[in-house]
Amino acid sequence: MVLTMIASGAIGNAIDGFTQGKVTDMIHMPLLSSITNALNAGDFPIFNLADIYVVLGTLALLALSLLDERHEKRAQAGAAPSHPQN
């Protein structure tokens, strides 16, 4: 599912690039632009749905990999051989 999000966003941007010669961005966030302007960081970027899919998919992939790694460490710690008592 996560890889599908990333791939669909990339394919969507690629289709725009091949058919129009550029990626069409249409979502503008004036509130975020006012915040970034107040921080002297310029306007917040304008983006599209494909960008959202790529970013959210990447963040989800990162989170899932970290959770999986944590789960494996806990499983290994729980599977440590116990020492027999004399």
Side-chain angles (χ1 to χ4, degrees):
M1 168 94 169
V2 172
L3 294 178
T4 303
M5 286 178 68
I6 297 170
S8 64
I11 291 168
N13 278 338
I15 290 171
D16 266 1
F18 288 132
T19 60
Q20 299 176 12
K22 63 179 181 168
V23 175
T24 304
D25 293 331
M26 68 281 217
I27 301 172
H28 177 64
M29 304 293 267
L31 178 62
L32 292 177
S33 283
S34 65
I35 293 170
T36 55
N37 282 325
L39 298 171
N40 292 323
D43 287 332
F44 192 80
I46 299 172
F47 52 95
N48 61 26
L49 292 177
D51 297 337
I52 293 171
Y53 293 151
V54 171
V55 170
L56 290 180
T58 303
L59 291 174
L61 183 63
L62 178 64
L64 289 172
S65 66
L66 292 174
L67 289 174
D68 189 43
E69 185 177 300
R70 236 173 126 183
H71 179 69
E72 286 179 13
K73 284 182 181 179
R74 283 186 182 169
Q76 288 174 357
S82 60
H83 298 288
Q85 293 180 354
N86 292 340

